[in-house]
Amino acid sequence: MLTAVVLVPLLLLSNTLAQDDTISEIQKTISVLEHRMNSAESSLKESQGNLVKALQRVAVTEAKLQQAETKLVQADVKRVQLESELKKHSAAIAGLTQNLSTLQGKQTRHIAFSVGRSTSLTATGENKVITYDKIWLNDGNGFNKFNSYFVAPLSGVYMFTYNNLYHSNKNSFVLFMMNGKHVQSSQGYDANGGWGMSGNEIQLRLQKGDSVWLELYKNHYIYSNVYLYSSFTGQLIYQN
């Protein structure tokens, strides 16, 4: 049986060894914690660096967005200016178009005709339209060569003249007609059997599409031949 002298040192040694083991474990734990702390600090620094880079990229993106917004605002201002100018130009073009239409409407076209007849004509029993087979002039194409009517191409004031030859105790009685109504006449007669010219002149306001022509009154006569004694002329003096 060990004595107390021997046991006490052993107990002290045992306690010392136990403390050394505890210290060693604590030191290991501290070393592990320090390693983890260093790793965490490294990760934190790396994260901070990435965050700084990300913030820099965000700042660059924001700057680009601001530039884009500035350009968009400038473009919108330019668009408004262009739209305003376009409206002005459109209004100017509309005004010019209206003025052009007005001028074209007022522009005087050359309308005139001059025709003659190369044969005599007798109206037996009823009036006859005097037709003309010689056309000297038909500017504006108002004179219809098929029925010898003049149809006004434009509204305005027109002047008409007509002449016919009569002879040998035969009456020449010519009616100036407008839209089916008698407007004016000319008459010639020589009881002594001579020759003479009868005719007349008139100025009328016609609307576009109005028709005028000459009729030989029933049982009357006009003389003509290749020398074209019978004639009918008209022209536009001015438009309405």
Side-chain angles (χ1 to χ4, degrees), residues 13-43:
L13 178 61
S14 176
N15 290 334
T16 301
L17 291 173
Q19 290 177 354
D20 290 341
D21 290 339
T22 300
I23 291 170
S24 178
E25 289 296 327
I26 291 173
Q27 288 176 341
K28 287 180 180 179
T29 299
I30 291 172
S31 178
V32 170
L33 291 174
E34 287 178 347
H35 178 72
R36 290 179 179 178
M37 186 178 293
N38 290 333
S39 297
E41 287 179 353
S42 298
S43 297

Side-chain angles (χ1 to χ4, degrees):
M1 183 174 184
L2 295 175
T3 62
V5 176
V6 176
L7 288 172
V8 170
L10 289 173
L11 289 171
L12 292 172
L13 178 61
S14 176
N15 290 334
T16 301
L17 291 173
Q19 290 177 354
D20 290 341
D21 290 339
T22 300
I23 291 170
S24 178
E25 289 296 327
I26 291 173
Q27 288 176 341
K28 287 180 180 179
T29 299
I30 291 172
S31 178
V32 170
L33 291 174
E34 287 178 347
H35 178 72
R36 290 179 179 178
M37 186 178 293
N38 290 333
S39 297
E41 287 179 353
S42 298
S43 297
L44 181 59
K45 289 181 180 180
E46 184 177 356
S47 297
Q48 287 177 342
N50 292 334
L51 180 59
V52 170
K53 292 179 181 178
L55 290 174
Q56 290 175 345
R57 287 195 294 269
V58 169
V60 172
T61 302
E62 287 180 347
K64 290 182 178 179
L65 284 175
Q66 188 173 4
Q67 291 177 354
E69 288 178 354
T70 301
K71 290 182 180 179
L72 184 61
V73 170
Q74 292 174 347
D76 192 59
V77 171
K78 187 66 174 178
R79 177 187 62 79
V80 172
Q81 291 176 347
L82 290 174
E83 287 180 350
S84 178
E85 292 179 2
L86 180 60
K87 288 180 180 179
K88 291 180 182 179
H89 291 317
S90 298
I93 290 172
L96 290 174
T97 302
Q98 184 176 2
N99 290 339
L100 179 60
S101 299
T102 302
L103 290 174
Q104 288 176 339
K106 292 182 177 180
Q107 183 180 7
T108 301
R109 286 173 51 187
H110 297 292
I111 299 174
F113 74 94
S114 181
V115 296
R117 180 182 176 90
S118 62
T119 59
S120 299
L121 177 66
T122 300
T124 303
E126 61 181 8
N127 296 359
K128 279 190 177 182
V129 175
I130 302 175
T131 57
Y132 298 89
D133 54 356
K134 175 65 176 180
I135 298 177
W136 293 294
L137 180 68
N138 192 16
D139 290 348
N141 295 315
F143 184 81
N144 187 325
K145 64 181 180 180
F146 298 104
N147 60 13
S148 293
Y149 282 32
F150 173 78
V151 180
L154 295 173
S155 298
V157 175
Y158 290 79
M159 181 176 69
F160 301 95
T161 59
Y162 49 101
N163 291 285
N164 295 284
L165 181 66
Y166 61 91
H167 80 110
S168 302
N169 298 322
K170 293 182 178 180
N171 285 333
S172 171
F173 189 12
V174 174
L175 309 177
F176 184 96
M177 307 293 295
M178 174 180 170
N179 296 332
K181 295 182 179 180
H182 170 226
V183 178
Q184 188 190 52
S185 305
S186 71
Q187 187 174 20
Y189 176 74
D190 188 344
N192 297 319
W195 297 79
M197 294 292 294
S198 67
N200 216 332
E201 178 180 296
I202 189 172
Q203 294 182 6
L204 293 174
R205 187 182 303 278
L206 303 183
Q207 300 301 316
K208 182 179 179 180
D210 285 346
S211 299
V212 300
W213 66 92
L214 297 176
E215 289 185 5
L216 181 61
Y217 192 69
K218 61 182 179 181
N219 301 321
H220 285 75
Y221 172 87
I222 57 173
Y223 177 82
S224 191
N225 56 25
V226 294
Y227 294 106
L228 302 166
Y229 298 112
S230 179
S231 65
F232 182 28
T233 66
Q235 67 180 45
L236 173 65
I237 301 175
Y238 58 87
Q239 288 181 243
N240 286 344

